[in-house]
Amino acid sequence: MDRLRGYITSNMFSIKRMIKMARVLTKLLLTLIVILFANQSFAEKIPTLTLKDIQDLQDLEDLENGLQDGKEAVKLLRLAAEKGNAEAQIMLGKIYSKAFYGLIGVPRDAKEGTKWYRLAAEQGHIRAQFWLGSSYDFGNGVPKNHKEAVKWYRLAAEQGDASSQSMLGHHYSSGEGFVQDYKEALKWYRLAAEQGDALAQKGLGDLHKEGQGVPQNYAIAHMWYNLSATNGWKYLRTFRDNLSKKMTSAAIEKAQDMANECMNRNYKRCGY
């Protein structure tokens, strides 16, 4: 508490950032307690530690100083992980992985992160399967291997994970990991796009724009680019706007109406 007061008085943190840190640290501590003691009734009463919380932590200045007990927390997580707790294993994977470099004072170790992802993935943890696939896809902690990446993506995708479905769509579209198959790419992109996955929506836009696996249709491509931009990929507005130059005013209006209808239907059965 004295350290926190010091930060405030020295203006190293704004009040808003301090509140954010306190909120996320509380969630992290409670999450560790649940993992260690597996108390389900208690777990149901605490706030969930989300990916955004972890990203919030990563963004805070002087994080290592503000988390003196960070390494001790990792030791507690490791104890649970070594006993086979999949949630603890994937949390360690995230902490050590490249994507969460510097989290709670622990230096990046992609190989160590991938080790914990694998242990959780082998227990059937869906998100661990995605992250392990990603490790192989981009060569983080393991040699790059698209076929191995696809293997883990598929396991998670078949259980409904949108990110993995989207990556399967990408691999079928690009031909990385197996023979190029636009029909299969379309299938997996659709499954992910219906869950609001922006990458998959962009992929569907590409397929319809180029007429790959489906008849070429600029209006549907425009719709998917528009939706993907709305869901976070703002640079796709450029894709959409460039495509608009090849379309009539009526076709653009139709595409915009389709995008609105698609959002109202929660992305289900849009454009087909």
Side-chain angles (χ1 to χ4, degrees):
M1 184 58 71
D2 289 339
R3 180 178 291 274
L4 294 182
R5 291 195 186 99
Y7 282 151
I8 294 172
T9 55
S10 63
N11 294 318
M12 292 181 69
F13 283 106
S14 68
I15 296 296
K16 182 178 179 180
R17 289 169 72 81
M18 293 304 300
I19 291 173
K20 180 186 285 186
M21 173 176 272
R23 174 180 58 80
V24 179
L25 287 178
T26 299
K27 284 189 179 183
L28 179 59
L29 177 60
L30 291 172
T31 300
L32 288 172
I33 292 172
V34 170
I35 288 173
L36 287 171
F37 298 102
N39 188 325
Q40 185 61 35
S41 61
F42 179 65
E44 292 172 353
K45 299 176 183 178
I46 71 168
T48 303
L49 185 70
T50 66
L51 180 59
K52 184 180 184 303
D53 292 325
I54 295 174
Q55 291 171 333
D56 284 344
L57 277 176
Q58 188 181 11
D59 290 340
L60 293 172
E61 298 173 6
D62 296 325
L63 178 59
E64 190 168 355
N65 289 333
L67 294 168
Q68 294 180 3
D69 296 328
K71 292 181 181 180
E72 287 301 315
V74 171
K75 288 181 182 179
L76 293 175
L77 269 179
R78 185 179 289 274
L79 286 174
E82 288 174 348
K83 292 180 180 179
N85 186 289
E87 291 297 331
Q89 290 168 347
I90 193 171
M91 285 184 71
L92 278 180
K94 289 178 179 179
I95 287 170
Y96 281 109
S97 72
K98 181 177 180 179
F100 296 92
Y101 174 70
L103 180 62
I104 56 177
V106 178
R108 185 184 78 176
D109 187 336
K111 187 175 180 180
E112 182 73 6
T114 299
K115 179 189 86 171
W116 292 110
Y117 284 149
R118 186 185 306 281
L119 288 170
E122 288 174 349
Q123 294 191 64
H125 193 294
I126 297 174
R127 292 305 293 171
Q129 290 170 343
F130 166 76
W131 284 111
L132 183 57
S134 181
S135 295
Y136 277 109
D137 219 357
F138 299 100
N140 290 328
V142 288
K144 185 181 291 188
N145 187 324
H146 293 312
K147 288 186 177 180
E148 192 69 13
V150 165
K151 164 189 164 183
W152 290 105
Y153 286 148
R154 185 180 296 280
L155 286 171
E158 290 175 347
Q159 298 178 75
D161 182 68
S163 299
S164 298
Q165 291 168 344
S166 184
M167 291 307 298
L168 267 189
H170 164 74
H171 279 276
Y172 272 115
S173 179
S174 66
E176 295 178 336
F178 35 46
V179 177
Q180 192 173 54
D181 187 333
Y182 293 126
K183 292 288 187 182
E184 277 295 303
L186 184 71
K187 165 190 164 183
W188 291 108
Y189 275 148
R190 279 177 173 169
L191 288 171
E194 289 182 353
Q195 297 186 62
D197 186 275
L199 176 61
Q201 291 168 346
K202 185 264 184 187
L204 287 177
D206 291 341
L207 294 181
H208 284 89
K209 175 176 175 286
E210 301 299 332
Q212 297 169 331
V214 289
Q216 188 178 60
N217 190 312
Y218 285 169
I220 295 177
H222 186 288
M223 175 196 75
W224 284 118
Y225 286 151
N226 208 0
L227 291 168
S228 183
T230 300
N231 286 322
W233 284 43
K234 295 182 179 180
Y235 81 92
L236 285 177
R237 293 171 182 169
T238 302
F239 282 52
R240 178 199 63 196
D241 294 343
N242 288 337
L243 188 59
S244 295
K245 298 174 183 178
K246 303 178 181 180
M247 300 168 62
T248 65
S249 297
I252 294 172
E253 184 177 353
K254 177 182 178 181
Q256 292 170 338
D257 289 341
M258 290 168 61
N260 289 330
E261 291 173 5
C262 184
M263 292 181 70
N264 290 335
R265 291 201 298 267
N266 293 320
Y267 309 111
K268 300 295 189 293
R269 299 195 61 81
C270 300
Y272 61 95

